[in-house]
């Protein structure tokens, strides 16, 4: 059985040592050097919080088909009426504040890839959930486990993505009741970055935990967080038994959950930004309080997935201004609560990696970055409102994610950064190309995009007048060709495969 | 001769009345309802300001081939050594603070289109300067006066663009020494939005002023600003006689100038963000101080055009993180100085309106919006580092500009915005599609993009699997078909044409 090469890095010194070590190589996550964008003033935020408490107190949240959840919440002071749970004003907040950590380390099997989620960090993960994939060569088709492995590999090779994610695409060629085993195995086998667990049934969550124990050791898993999993609310204002069941498994095993209201404003929430964010806060408070009641101290993340719908067709829309406003406010509310915050990255509605996809994704990525998202799910690959994972889109978004990491570092105000010597050396009317300061800094001075073509028009013509999609197509193919798996202890690998074999043979294949 | 239908709107009441009137129709400009993004703290900004003063005091700025400029600056307290002008610490700042207005109204021939530049307003204008145009049908070709007219018409029809701009493309089919007359005429004839003037020679600036006098009346022009023109510095740290000459013409006629350091960091400025912004501030301070010396009180805008270069090819790059950092800081410096701020909008390096173009443009637009740009030049159409004006790109960018206008309005916290009644009406597990609040608000709830396709995959297939560029192609053609010129007093039109005829016949055609 594998063992992590590094002990729990709870202490500040350990974290600092880890950070130093990571930065010498590839940064394991982004440390923010610039302020958050503060969209709203204190009084307005307090109004939203007051309204969310009103929702929790007067309207309440449904916890469905889970008598244990109702019992636990009733014992914690909530008022339970059937499946409707009403929370006295401030109860959720105080339950969360009493025990939820402000940040947590999610361990990876390679400790240099450990991420800290919360505070001034941003951890970026690929898109989650698409049943289809798209590439320039084959167009759109159902995703397979091979696609899943490909996206794990591409994420592993992308320095700007810190986290292997979860359902990077849905491997629909495998039976529904067994595919989670292959997904979790792929994250472990083909990457050494941290990953997400299955949430489609409590026993699948337990399988995820059991596989993690094979990799990290049982004791280590009980004491440390090695899985972060996505728990969506059934917005508006309800949680279902599947999600609650999976959440309980993870919480009881000290593993992290991202409690995410899933909002298409106009359908699952009011059409106004203030109304939508009020509901988001209420739902997130109830879900996170529930986790703290299940196991005080279990890491929990304030999640949001917020979009609008087209009031013409009812279809979800992305990259528009209203969800950006919601996101800026939600991030501020999470900070006031003192928990990590999750939102989406490169969201778009376009079917293909065209200008629509790019405008929408850039708008969402910029907003997430400035808002201060700690765990940025859907950073790369997302197309078609999440229905498709795009190979070319993935490469483009990963490039954007790398730019955002640079932006978040901010302005270097060291003497070298101030560049007064360069200004003195060059003076009026000359140029800086050859000056000592430029020579000393040029290698790292500017982010160099992997897909942007900045050549002359003539050179671009000569090279075939390619668009960004075509260039990205070449890149992902080359990456998959060059891929080399990170080493995995053979005994661990064998134990994982034996576990999977045993679990698979215990049940017939099912597609639900 | 035409007369403006409205008197100078200097007073607060007049402005408020104007604003009310404008908002009842299409907003003449954006009034910001959200905070600026404050990237840097006070101490860091003070450090940049100190360094800029050091540049002005020790290194100095060249004012070339303009003895009058040297004389004026010397008289104002600067130290003149040949063409090198050094400014005692704080001199530029105090000259600017003493007389430069914090904001100004640029009058349009239709007073409902008057814009206020400065403060919490954002005024958006199309791209400026491209010698080429590109459309899907014909690819890339040299721009003509017909293209120029087309972009004036498209801008006139785009509600998200408040300003007709200047050299929306370079009509290279007309002689260099006469084309400014056709450009200014096109802005006046085919639009009623405010416009920019020629800066390629002082006499062409004077022609612009003279044509404005025909439209607005001489006395009105002397008392009001009806032209805003772009004065680029010859970075690093110099101004040439052409720009100084044009700037003097405009300033002496009380017309506005945008003093813009033109920075490709690594070539015209240091490679570091702090170094580049220090130089930008020094150059802008010197240029704006010069304007205030020429005519105290003439409106002046702190401009920036900031990009990086590829350290491999030397080509300019756009939409990358470093210029965003520069822009955020420059906007804060302009506010501290108390003058309006100008920067670019949808900048990109891509040759075509693909994903590269869109990512880069969105990154720049978002930054400009959050930084608090008052006059956003190059908002729409820009391709290929400014070498080409794109018809499809224009439509896409104008759509993004409209989204930014919505975002800048911020979150509605009225009772309707809070939507507590909707939350109470719908409750857990239902949906908001049919509730009273949604019905009452759905028409205005969400920005509806003109080019995004948010239909189902199947519908999109059925409709031909179009990309955003193809949809934009249909839109601009339809707009040009539907274009109707705003009324122009026939006597004014005749007078303008007579003036142009007289000026054109006074000189032989020249291509310089």
């Amino acid at each position: 059985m594998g063992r992590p090469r590094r002990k729990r890095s709870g202490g500040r010194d350990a974290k600092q040592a880890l950070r130093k070590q990571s930065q010498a190589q590839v940064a394991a996550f982004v440390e923010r050097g610039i302020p958050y964008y503060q969209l709203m003033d204190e009084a307005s935020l307090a109004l939203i919080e007051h309204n969310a408490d009103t929702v929790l107190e007067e309207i309440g949240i449904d916890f469905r088909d889970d008598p244990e959840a109702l019992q636990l919440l009733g014992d914690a002071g909530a008022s339970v009426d059937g499946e409707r749970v009403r929370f006295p004003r401030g109860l959720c907040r105080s339950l969360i504040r009493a025990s939820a950590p402000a940040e947590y380390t999610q361990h990876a099997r390679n400790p240099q890839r450990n991420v800290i989620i919360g505070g001034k960090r941003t951890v970026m993960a690929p898109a989650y959930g698409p049943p289809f994939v798209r590439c320039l060569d084959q167009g759109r088709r159902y995703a397979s486990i091979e696609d899943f492995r490909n996206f794990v590999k591409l994420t592993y090779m992308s320095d700007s993505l810190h986290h292997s994610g979860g359902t990077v695409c849905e491997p629909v060629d495998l039976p529904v009741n067994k595919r989670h085993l292959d997904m979790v195995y792929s994250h472990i086998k083909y990457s050494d970055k941290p990953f997400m667990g299955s949430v489609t049934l409590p026993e699948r969550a337990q399988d995820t935990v059991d596989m993690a124990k094979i990799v990290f050791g049982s004791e280590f898993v009980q004491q440390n967080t090695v899985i972060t999993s996505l728990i969506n609310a059934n917005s508006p204002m309800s949680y279902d038994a599947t999600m609650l069941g999976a959440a309980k498994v993870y919480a009881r095993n000290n593993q992290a959950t991202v409690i995410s209201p899933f909002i298409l404003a106009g359908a699952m929430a009011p059409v106004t930004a203030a109304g939508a964010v009020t509901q988001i806060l209420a739902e997130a408070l109830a879900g996170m309080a529930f986790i703290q009641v299940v196991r005080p101290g279990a890491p929990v993340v304030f999640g949001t997935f917020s979009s609008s719908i087209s009031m013409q067709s009812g279809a979800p829309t992305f990259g528009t201004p209203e969800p950006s406003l919601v996101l800026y406010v939600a991030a501020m509310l999470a900070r006031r609560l003192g928990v990590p915050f999750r939102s989406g990255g490169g969201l778009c509605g376009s079917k293909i990696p065209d200008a629509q996809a790019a405008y929408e994704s850039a708008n969402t990525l910029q907003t997430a970055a400035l808002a201060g998202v700690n765990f940025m799910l859907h950073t790369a690959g997302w197309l078609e409102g999440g229905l498709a994972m795009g190979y070319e889109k993935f490469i483009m978004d990963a490039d954007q994610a790398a730019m955002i990491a640079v932006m978040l570092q901010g302005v270097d105000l060291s003497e070298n950064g101030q560049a007064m010597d360069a200004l003195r050396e060059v003076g009026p009317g000359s140029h800086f190309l050859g000056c000592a300061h430029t020579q000393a800094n040029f290698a790292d001075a500017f982010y160099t995009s992997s897909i942007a073509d900045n050549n002359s028009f003539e050179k671009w013509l000569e090279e075939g007048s390619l668009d960004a999609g075509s260039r990205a197509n070449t890149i992902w193919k080359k990456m998959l060709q060059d891929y080399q798996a990170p080493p995995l202890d053979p005994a661990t690998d064998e134990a994982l495969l034996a576990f999977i074999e045993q679990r698979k043979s215990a049940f017939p294949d099912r597609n639900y």
Side-chain angles (χ1 to χ4, degrees), chain A:
Chain A
M1 279 215 302
R3 286 238 141 241
R5 268 163 280 176
R6 152 177 290 275
K7 285 282 171 62
R8 179 183 194 178
S9 71
R12 205 178 143 208
D13 288 353
K15 274 179 202 160
Q16 285 183 346
L18 172 68
R19 206 169 308 147
K20 250 183 206 154
Q21 187 186 353
S22 303
Q23 284 175 346
Q25 304 151 19
V26 172
F29 47 83
V30 180
E31 277 269 358
R32 184 184 199 87
I34 62 174
Y36 305 110
Y37 177 54
Q38 313 270 23
L39 181 92
M40 220 177 229
D41 61 22
E42 293 282 308
S44 305
L45 292 167
L47 173 65
I48 301 287
E49 288 169 343
H50 178 86
N51 286 350
D53 260 347
T54 303
V55 170
L56 291 169
E57 185 177 42
E58 293 180 17
I59 305 170
I61 305 287
D62 281 356
F63 285 74
R64 298 214 170 118
D65 304 317
D66 190 335
E68 188 197 17
L70 298 172
Q71 180 71 48
L72 285 167
L73 289 166
D75 292 350
S79 137
V80 179
D81 178 9
E83 297 193 319
R84 181 70 52 92
V85 181
R86 293 185 178 82
F87 299 86
R89 202 165 275 280
L91 175 63
C92 291
R93 187 170 298 272
S94 60
L95 286 169
I96 295 162
R97 285 213 171 127
S99 57
E103 59 185 59
Y104 68 97
T105 297
Q106 182 184 350
H107 294 262
R109 72 176 178 90
N110 175 355
Q112 288 170 359
R113 310 284 201 181
N114 290 359
V115 295
I116 305 176
I117 294 177
K120 297 206 163 190
R121 294 88 177 189
T122 298
V123 171
M124 303 200 202
Y128 185 108
F132 296 98
V133 292
R134 170 177 282 279
C135 67
L136 277 189
D137 312 273
Q138 299 182 61
R140 182 198 201 237
R141 56 192 162 76
Y142 275 107
S144 68
I145 188 67
E146 195 192 334
D147 293 308
F148 190 100
R149 289 184 198 122
N150 284 345
F151 282 109
V152 170
K153 292 174 184 177
L154 292 170
T155 301
Y156 169 67
M157 296 175 82
S158 299
D159 290 346
S160 63
L161 300 176
H162 315 103
H163 198 286
S164 197
T167 309
V168 290
C169 59
E170 192 73 45
V172 298
D173 53 341
L174 300 181
V176 167
N177 65 330
K178 299 180 179 176
R179 64 174 69 143
H180 65 287
L181 298 162
D182 297 88
M183 291 198 272
V184 171
Y185 178 74
S186 298
H187 281 299
I188 296 168
K189 172 83 175 174
Y190 301 106
S191 182
D192 61 3
K193 294 184 179 180
F195 61 91
M196 301 176 78
S198 176
V199 295
T200 52
L201 273 185
E203 52 266 37
R204 295 174 196 158
Q206 189 60 52
D207 284 343
T208 309
V209 172
D210 291 343
M211 289 174 76
K213 285 180 179 172
I214 294 173
V215 178
F216 292 90
S218 291
E219 206 188 321
F220 189 87
V221 169
Q222 281 306 322
Q223 285 167 8
N224 296 282
T225 298
V226 299
I227 309 164
T228 295
S229 298
L230 180 63
I231 302 297
N232 280 327
N234 270 33
S235 305
M237 300 169 261
S238 41
Y239 286 92
D240 67 27
T242 302
M243 286 290 166
L244 294 172
K248 283 190 286 187
V249 169
Y250 287 120
R252 287 183 170 134
N253 283 283
N254 197 33
Q255 302 307 305
T257 47
V258 183
I259 306 297
S260 285
F262 185 90
I263 302 292
L264 303 181
M268 291 90 142
V271 285
T272 54
V277 79
T278 298
Q279 183 186 315
I280 286 168
L281 178 58
E283 291 178 4
L285 280 169
M288 292 188 290
F290 171 68
I291 297 291
Q292 294 310 306
V293 166
V294 171
R295 169 153 171 176
V300 69
V301 179
F302 182 145
T304 56
F305 177 88
S306 170
S307 171
S308 304
I309 59 167
S310 159
M311 298 310 281
Q312 281 72 47
S313 69
T317 62
F318 298 91
T320 52
E322 296 85 4
S324 287
L325 295 171
V326 168
L327 179 49
Y328 282 127
V329 177
M332 296 186 80
L333 293 168
R335 281 195 292 278
R336 283 163 69 92
L337 194 56
V339 290
F341 180 65
R342 169 256 153 162
S343 193
L347 308 182
C348 67
S350 187
K351 283 76 185 166
I352 48 175
D354 65 345
Q356 179 187 343
Y359 277 116
E360 293 176 348
S361 297
N363 289 346
T364 318
L365 282 163
Q366 288 285 330
T367 301
L370 292 178
V373 169
N374 299 118
F375 184 59
M376 199 190 290
L377 197 57
H378 310 308
T379 301
W382 171 289
L383 280 175
E384 214 187 299
L387 283 179
M389 184 75 170
Y391 278 87
E392 289 80 17
K393 180 68 169 19
F394 179 94
I395 299 299
M396 295 173 178
D397 288 334
D399 182 46
Q400 292 295 314
M403 292 194 211
I404 279 173
V406 173
M407 189 179 75
L408 289 176
Q409 284 165 29
V411 176
D412 171 16
L413 285 175
S414 68
E415 211 158 300
N416 183 62
Q418 292 177 54
M420 291 302 287
D421 287 350
L423 288 160
R424 287 194 180 93
E425 181 185 337
V426 174
S430 184
H431 67 77
F432 289 76
L433 289 168
C435 80
H437 183 261
T438 302
Q439 291 303 311
N441 290 280
F442 93 89
D444 301 322
F446 305 128
Y447 176 74
T448 302
S449 165
S450 58
I451 63 140
D453 182 297
N454 292 307
N455 292 326
S456 69
F457 177 75
E458 290 70 25
K459 183 120 202 285
W460 172 79
L461 259 190
E462 201 183 291
E463 291 179 357
S465 310
L466 299 180
D467 67 5
S470 307
R471 292 190 295 272
N473 182 267
T474 308
I475 294 172
W476 69 258
K477 287 177 179 167
K478 174 85 166 64
M479 284 172 76
L480 288 182
Q481 263 172 18
D482 293 349
Y483 170 79
Q484 290 194 310
L488 177 62
D489 174 48
T492 302
D493 199 3
E494 257 172 58
L496 284 168
L497 290 170
F499 175 84
I500 291 170
E501 181 54 33
Q502 176 250 315
R503 291 293 291 152
K504 281 191 175 177
S505 60
F507 306 99
D509 291 356
R510 276 199 333 248
N511 267 322
Y512 54 91

